[in-house]
Amino acid sequence: MNNNHVAYGKVGLVGIDQLMPLKLTNITREHPMLYREPIDALEEMEGREKRVPLNSLHVQKLLLIVNRLHVLLHSIALAFMMYYRVCFLLQPTETREGHELLPWLLVSASEAILSFIWVLDQAFRWRPVSRSVFPERLPEDHKLSPIDVFICTADPTKEPTLDVMNTVLSSMALDYPTNKLHVYLSDDAGSPLTLHAMREACKFARWWLPFCRRYKINNRCPKAYFSALEDNAHADFARSSLYVADKHTIKEKYEAFEEAIKTFRKDTAFSRHHPSLVEVIQESMIDDVENVKMPLLVYVSREKKASHPHHFKAGALNVLLRVSWVMSNSPYILVLDCDMFCNDPTSARYAMCFHLDPKISSSLSFVQFPQKFHNISKNDIYDSQLRSLFTLQWQGMDGLMGPVMSGTGFYIKRASLFGNCASKGSDLLQQKHHVGSSNEFIGSLDRNYTSDLEEPHFLASCNYEIGTKWGEEVGFLYYSVVEDYLTGFMLHSNGWSSVFCEPSRPQFLGKATTNLNDVLIQGTRWYSGLFENGINRFCPFMYWPTRMPFLQCLCFAWLTYFPLYCVPLWCLATVPQLSLLNGIPLYPKVSDPFFMVFVFIFLSALVKHLLEVSLTGGTLHNWINEQRIWMMKSVTCHLHGCLDALLKKFGIREASFVPTNKLEDDEQTLLYQMDKYDFRAPNIFIAPMLFLITVNIYCLVGGVYRVFLVGDCDKLFIQLFLAVFIVTVNYPLVEGLLVRKDKGRISKLVAIPVILPTLALLAFFNLLGNA
């Protein structure tokens, strides 16, 4: 085996000032020295475009009509509701018999916040579209554009190395010209195990890649291929004895590859602080393997020091952006999470159907594929697949300026990541201020400049970005832990567009979180980052109308402000119930005409959600589960995320990033597949849910007593129904506390310190109200 550090030849570069046009015109035409091959491909495609397009867009007219009609009717109902609330608040004090002002103000504010978030959400539904692609119309392979693949891993204890290598192997096996494919793995842990696994993966790839090409394998992730229930080979080969024999041989090689990773020195530790390492993974020729054409495979571990901020995933991606610049400099980049393997080899060609389309190429930044997951259960109790996001909202944004960047599964144009540095002309000092002091970047102003072999180590060092615009105007942005959202938002605000491509066969499959603890921890990180962008200078409303269309602005605003669901849900899960306990009406009587307004709003929202679930292949169970997990998230991780963002805003807390745990737990997986919630989560998450369910059960019992014995059903019906609805939807909490005996139940040690003080507080409140 021959492993060489940075063992590659010199690479010619183009100038930074040629990388991005001053305005969004056709990049390859305005800057003819930039990426020769895209020019050829685009010129050919312009000729073909007159005959046959590479892609087509279809407006979903029936869904569009349904959505807009619902918006109209629901908006009218909301207007009547607001009228009812305002009229009450404007009444003289002496006419508010039996009503308390504070509960009314709280409920009115909650309804206003819910209405505001609902209005933002309708922008996604204004113009839903779908797209078709025709990859068979692409130019010949030698005219296609090169692609770099970026894969990031951060912690081998939470992200299994074998799964990471399967992602690497699947990306190496993409159906794309081998000499135009370059795969980079960023290892933020600097783990010897990961480096060793990369070398072993390179050896196995010499067997795996020819096998996939020869038999036209669809699923080119080895682990998924060998565990599939049906054969992934082309129908012409599936019954071939030669194929069966080769498959047996490859399986033995894969098992040896697995064993080589599992038996690597288990006592080998990794350090959070380490020097940079860039290594091209190469293998000497093996006698019994044919001369296999392999993509460039590069291991990158950036330097990390305690005294330097590393900016989490965005920092790792920017290092890959620089290192790949001096090694392959492909015009397009595929970004993948370490667990998101290529489920189909055609994604690169699908993406090129958009990037090489002369009609949209000049302003197109990235092509986003949906995130799909291979471990989703039938009813998906945690909504881990994020069904609404990737099946409805991204399609809606695609009908505007395009979807937001989603962290993984997107092909992005390298030029779009360099902000305004292209406008700095040939002033070397200004260029240095933007992209750093690397000889590669400064020398790139000379078109004949070639790279230094040791330069990638310098580009991956901690000090390189100091005094530059990396993470501010250049590359992936650093201002938020959700770097994908922020980078995508700024790209759109700078005039770039994106498209959403969703083929019938999932192009990428990842591993979803399948236990409540990981779901809520991951959600807290996401919602903190998103809400943080809504309360700083990246507030979407500050970019309208000068830099972003109104509807696109509303879509981004929803993404930043929907964590505010925590405020109305906490209020509506307590205030109406406590008022019910004391006989204070907050809603119109059943005999009041405005009663039907509230009934219509409630049913309209639920029926529309049920319709959307059914249109995307969901079931009634999915609908109920989504309602439930929305409530659970809103009162826990939405709340914690908002508080975390506020603490960071005022400098009380620093940003942090905890990688999502990707290790499989058989017991947790079994509970998930059985549709049983795993309540083994921190008290910070379980306590709020126990508090609210206790309040609603207590007030429900007291409310039933008042309604049937005192006779307040007419004026307290909605509040009584609200308590019934919350308790019914969240029955799994009651089941986890009183019925279940498995390890995923709610521990009595957690429940008793929450429930007993809550009951005491409620009893005191009830006595106080009756005094």
Side-chain angles (χ1 to χ4, degrees):
M1 185 168 60
N2 178 25
N3 297 298
N4 299 316
H5 291 262
V6 219
Y8 46 86
K10 296 184 176 182
V11 182
L13 299 174
V14 296
I16 296 173
D17 58 334
Q18 302 161 30
L19 188 59
M20 180 177 172
L22 302 184
K23 56 183 179 180
L24 295 180
T25 55
N26 191 315
I27 294 175
T28 54
R29 292 195 174 282
E30 187 167 322
H31 301 271
M33 292 303 295
L34 179 63
Y35 310 132
R36 182 70 254 170
E37 288 169 320
I39 297 176
D40 297 336
L42 279 171
E43 287 177 345
E44 178 169 332
M45 291 319 304
E46 284 180 344
R48 290 190 180 188
E49 183 67 24
K50 298 176 181 178
R51 303 189 300 272
V52 288
L54 285 174
N55 60 81
S56 61
L57 182 144
H58 316 279
V59 177
Q60 302 178 36
K61 293 183 179 179
L62 180 59
L63 184 58
L64 180 148
I65 293 171
V66 171
N67 287 347
R68 295 188 181 183
L69 181 61
H70 175 257
V71 168
L72 175 63
L73 296 177
H74 200 85
S75 297
I76 293 173
L78 289 178
F80 276 112
M81 181 189 71
M82 293 301 174
Y83 174 78
Y84 173 79
R85 293 297 185 192
V86 171
C87 286
F88 170 81
L89 295 174
L90 294 178
Q91 289 178 3
T93 306
E94 58 272 12
T95 63
R96 299 173 187 164
E97 182 180 355
H99 298 81
E100 295 290 339
L101 182 59
L102 180 59
W104 267 76
L105 287 174
L106 292 174
V107 170
S108 300
S110 299
E111 291 168 348
I113 294 173
L114 285 175
S115 300
F116 168 71
I117 297 175
W118 178 86
V119 169
L120 299 180
D121 196 20
Q122 300 321 296
F124 293 104
R125 292 157 175 81
W126 192 250
R127 187 174 180 264
V129 301
S130 60
R131 296 180 184 268
S132 300
V133 293
F134 311 103
E136 67 278 2
R137 299 174 183 174
L138 285 170
E140 293 80 2
D141 284 0
H142 70 277
K143 293 183 179 179
L144 292 175
S145 307
I147 294 175
D148 292 340
V149 181
F150 291 175
I151 302 170
C152 296
T153 183
D155 188 343
T157 64
K158 293 186 176 182
E159 299 164 336
T161 304
L162 182 62
D163 290 350
V164 177
M165 293 305 111
N166 271 273
T167 300
V168 170
L169 288 163
S170 68
S171 63
M172 293 176 69
L174 284 171
D175 180 19
Y176 209 73
T178 307
N179 63 323
K180 295 175 181 284
L181 195 60
H182 321 95
V183 180
Y184 297 82
L185 176 70
S186 169
D187 177 21
D188 258 11
S191 169
L193 172 60
T194 305
L195 179 57
H196 169 74
M198 281 281 281
R199 295 165 180 164
E200 294 296 325
C202 186
K203 289 194 292 185
F204 174 68
R206 289 192 173 276
W207 296 88
W208 177 244
L209 268 58
F211 175 76
C212 292
R213 295 164 187 159
R214 184 182 304 119
Y215 297 110
K216 300 180 182 179
I217 304 298
N218 283 329
N219 192 338
R220 300 190 177 184
C221 170
K223 182 178 179 179
Y225 170 75
F226 289 118
S227 61
L229 296 178
E230 59 183 30
D231 211 308
N232 281 277
H234 191 276
D236 295 340
F237 306 112
R239 299 179 181 275
S240 166
S241 59
L242 180 60
Y243 163 70
V244 173
D246 282 353
K247 180 179 179 180
H248 179 73
T249 301
I250 295 297
K251 188 172 184 178
E252 290 180 343
K253 296 292 182 183
Y254 179 70
E255 289 171 350
F257 164 61
E258 279 186 303
E259 192 64 21
I261 294 177
K262 292 177 180 178
T263 58
F264 185 70
R265 300 187 305 274
K266 297 186 181 297
D267 59 339
T268 301
F270 65 91
S271 173
R272 297 291 180 185
H273 313 295
H274 47 77
S276 62
L277 172 62
V278 180
E279 179 174 322
V280 174
I281 308 299
Q282 295 180 334
E283 283 298 319
S284 58
M285 296 304 298
I286 305 174
D287 293 339
D288 56 348
V289 181
E290 58 187 280
N291 185 10
V292 180
K293 293 182 178 180
M294 298 270 285
L296 176 69
L297 183 60
V298 183
Y299 171 88
V300 179
S301 180
R302 57 176 172 149
E303 182 183 20
K304 296 182 76 173
K305 293 180 180 178
S307 57
H308 287 72
H310 53 84
H311 302 296
F312 315 117
K313 183 180 176 181
L317 287 172
N318 282 341
V319 168
L320 291 182
L321 198 60
R322 294 193 295 270
V323 170
S324 65
W325 186 320
V326 300
M327 298 180 70
S328 52
N329 198 22
S330 299
Y332 301 105
I333 298 167
L334 166 62
V335 177
L336 292 175
D337 282 347
C338 63
D339 67 313
M340 188 69 65
F341 65 81
C342 302
N343 183 59
D344 190 277
T346 57
S347 65
R349 294 183 183 272
Y350 284 2
M352 289 303 108
C353 286
F354 298 103
H355 278 302
L356 298 183
D357 182 350
K359 291 183 178 180
I360 62 175
S361 176
S362 61
S363 62
L364 179 61
S365 173
F366 61 91
V367 178
Q368 178 68 60
F369 290 85
Q371 293 187 31
K372 302 286 187 178
F373 305 96
H374 60 81
N375 60 334
I376 295 295
S377 67
K378 179 182 178 180
N379 293 322
D380 190 20
I381 57 175
Y382 301 118
D383 189 28
S384 298
Q385 62 183 328
L386 302 174
R387 181 205 54 81
S388 178
L389 202 67
F390 293 117
T391 58
L392 291 172
Q393 292 174 306
W394 268 211
Q395 283 187 353
M397 292 189 78
D398 200 19
L400 305 174
M401 285 183 66
V404 70
M405 190 182 294
S406 305
T408 181
F410 61 90
Y411 287 82
I412 189 167
K413 184 180 295 177
R414 184 185 291 264
S416 66
L417 290 170
F418 285 83
N420 297 320
C421 67
S423 65
K424 303 305 177 184
S426 57
D427 189 321
L428 296 183
L429 291 178
Q430 288 180 317
Q431 293 284 5
K432 182 176 179 179
H433 176 64
H434 270 72
V435 298
S437 59
S438 166
N439 291 331
E440 295 296 336
F441 286 97
I442 303 303
S444 67
L445 296 175
D446 178 2
R447 294 171 184 170
N448 298 319
Y449 188 81
T450 55
S451 67
D452 187 285
L453 297 182
E454 295 300 321
E455 198 69 17
H457 291 283
F458 176 45
L459 296 174
S461 66
C462 285
N463 295 326
Y464 182 77
E465 293 184 354
I466 296 176
T468 71
K469 294 297 183 179
W470 280 100
E472 299 177 16
E473 297 179 17
V474 181
F476 295 87
L477 303 186
Y478 292 159
Y479 297 101
S480 173
V481 293
V482 285
E483 79 297 324
D484 48 355
Y485 163 85
L486 183 57
T487 303
F489 171 72
M490 291 307 299
L491 286 171
H492 281 98
S493 68
N494 289 330
W496 293 96
S497 64
S498 59
V499 299
F500 182 64
C501 182
E502 186 176 17
S504 57
R505 178 180 170 86
Q507 297 297 295
F508 306 99
L509 285 178
K511 185 181 296 182
T513 49
T514 56
N515 65 82
L516 189 62
N517 178 59
D518 290 342
V519 167
L520 297 181
I521 289 177
Q522 183 185 63
T524 300
R525 184 180 76 235
W526 288 349
Y527 307 141
S528 171
L530 290 169
F531 185 62
E532 182 181 27
N533 289 307
I535 56 175
N536 60 21
R537 65 187 179 91
F538 298 107
C539 171
F541 292 117
M542 297 174 63
Y543 287 76
W544 173 77
T546 56
R547 299 179 64 177
M548 189 174 291
F550 179 65
L551 290 177
Q552 189 79 357
C553 172
L554 292 186
C555 291
F556 279 105
W558 182 88
L559 290 167
T560 59
Y561 294 121
F562 83 91
L564 287 176
Y565 272 133
C566 64
V567 177
L569 261 70
W570 263 93
C571 179
L572 295 177
T574 54
V575 175
Q577 290 78 356
L578 295 174
S579 299
L580 169 66
L581 202 61
N582 293 314
I584 302 173
L586 300 178
Y587 296 92
K589 298 178 180 180
V590 175
S591 55
D592 190 323
F594 279 99
F595 173 81
M596 294 307 301
V597 172
F598 284 85
V599 171
F600 178 84
I601 291 172
F602 178 78
L603 293 179
S604 170
L606 290 185
V607 171
K608 185 60 164 59
H609 181 215
L610 179 59
L611 174 64
E612 292 177 346
V613 170
S614 62
L615 288 176
T616 55
T619 64
L620 185 62
H621 284 292
N622 294 127
W623 173 68
I624 295 173
N625 289 333
E626 288 188 18
Q627 290 286 329
R628 181 183 300 124
I629 198 63
W630 169 65
M631 293 184 188
M632 289 182 173
K633 286 182 176 180
S634 293
V635 300
T636 55
C637 55
H638 284 189
L639 175 63
H640 298 314
C642 289
L643 292 177
D644 185 67
L646 290 172
L647 291 176
K648 286 186 286 186
K649 173 72 174 178
F650 295 108
I652 301 174
R653 175 180 166 84
E654 292 185 358
S656 61
F657 184 93
V658 180
T660 304
N661 185 13
K662 300 297 182 180
L663 292 173
E664 293 184 1
D665 185 300
D666 293 338
E667 190 174 48
Q668 290 178 340
T669 301
L670 180 61
L671 288 172
Y672 173 68
Q673 295 296 333
M674 294 170 60
D675 295 340
K676 292 185 179 296
Y677 290 82
D678 186 351
F679 291 108
R680 289 173 292 180
N683 292 356
I684 195 174
F685 295 131
I686 300 299
M689 291 188 284
L690 286 175
F691 171 78
L692 291 177
I693 198 69
T694 303
V695 169
N696 278 266
I697 292 175
Y698 185 94
C699 293
L700 175 60
V701 174
V704 169
Y705 170 80
R706 174 175 289 276
V707 164
F708 288 101
L709 295 183
V710 180
D712 288 341
C713 182
D714 186 46
K715 63 179 183 179
L716 296 175
F717 178 82
I718 292 181
Q719 288 159 257
L720 181 65
F721 175 79
L722 188 59
V724 171
F725 181 75
I726 291 174
V727 172
T728 303
V729 171
N730 292 282
Y731 171 74
L733 279 168
V734 180
E735 181 186 44
L737 181 63
L738 302 177
V739 180
R740 288 170 51 185
K741 303 300 181 183
D742 56 79
K743 292 184 178 180
R745 68 185 185 278
I746 298 177
S747 170
K748 300 297 188 294
L749 296 178
V750 175
I752 292 174
V754 174
I755 294 175
L756 290 182
T758 302
L759 291 174
L761 186 63
L762 289 168
F764 175 76
F765 179 82
N766 195 21
L767 290 173
L768 190 65
N770 294 328

